[in-house]
């Protein structure tokens, strides 16, 4: 379960990297949102946060994909997280081991096409101890997500 994975992650030194400064109104959904990420040391990406849709959040299906710098798919997960008011972590069916200083792209797609809430005033870098996570504009984004705003509120990470 998500609670068990989060507890293990925190016990092992992992954390949920929350990048949202503010969660607000409606964001149209014209295609996949993507965010580029880079870590300062090796880490395992366990999950990706999504925001609730404005209508029917309980029945919205999400596809989350992680790609490497060349565009090769490393993990694809489809899940319906159920009703949620705030950010919800989608656990990856295949966690991704990320090498340090290597580019990765995290993509989310609301399969129902409904408008969602979105993040503003986001952090462009998050540090925890000697670990740093940097965000950059992804070439795979088709819906306006960028380091300072968008629809990917958080990542569940375990530095190794």
């Amino acid at each position: 379960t998500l609670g068990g994975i989060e507890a293990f992650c925190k016990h092992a030194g992992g954390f949920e990297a929350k990048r949202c400064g503010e969660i607000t109104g409606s964001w149209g959904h014209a295609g996949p949102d993507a965010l580029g990420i880079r870590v300062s040391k090796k880490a395992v990406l366990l999950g990706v946060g999504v925001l609730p849709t404005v209508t029917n959040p309980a029945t919205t299906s999400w596809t989350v994909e992680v790609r490497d710098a060349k565009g090769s798919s490393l993990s694809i997960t489809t899940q319906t997280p159920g009703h949620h008011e705030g950010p919800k972590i989608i656990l990856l069916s295949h966690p991704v081991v990320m090498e340090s200083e290597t580019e990765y792209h995290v993509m989310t797609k609301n399969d129902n096409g409904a408008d969602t809430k979105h993040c503003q005033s986001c952090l462009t870098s998050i540090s925890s101890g000697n670990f740093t996570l940097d965000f950059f504009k992804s070439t795979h984004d088709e819906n306006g997500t960028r380091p300072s705003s968008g629809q990917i509120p958080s990542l569940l990470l375990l530095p190794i």
Side-chain angles (χ1 to χ4, degrees), residues 77-98:
T77 303
T78 300
Q79 189 179 112
T80 303
H83 183 75
H84 57 105
E85 295 294 324
K88 178 82 172 189
I89 295 287
I90 303 285
L91 291 176
L92 299 177
S93 56
H94 300 288
V96 175
V97 176
M98 299 185 302

Side-chain angles (χ1 to χ4, degrees), residues 50-121:
V50 296
L51 293 165
T53 56
V54 176
T55 57
N56 301 319
T59 60
T60 299
S61 173
W62 288 90
T63 297
V64 175
E65 182 175 7
V66 181
R67 293 184 181 177
D68 65 17
K70 295 178 183 176
S72 298
S73 182
L74 303 174
S75 179
I76 298 177
T77 303
T78 300
Q79 189 179 112
T80 303
H83 183 75
H84 57 105
E85 295 294 324
K88 178 82 172 189
I89 295 287
I90 303 285
L91 291 176
L92 299 177
S93 56
H94 300 288
V96 175
V97 176
M98 299 185 302
E99 298 296 330
S100 66
E101 303 305 331
T102 302
E103 292 184 3
Y104 295 89
H105 301 269
V106 175
M107 302 168 59
T108 62
K109 185 173 183 297
N110 165 346
D111 298 321
N112 300 52
D115 288 359
T116 65
K117 293 182 179 182
H118 68 280
C119 298
Q120 292 182 333
S121 305

Side-chain angles (χ1 to χ4, degrees), residues 66 71 134 141:
V66 181
D134 291 315
D141 182 73

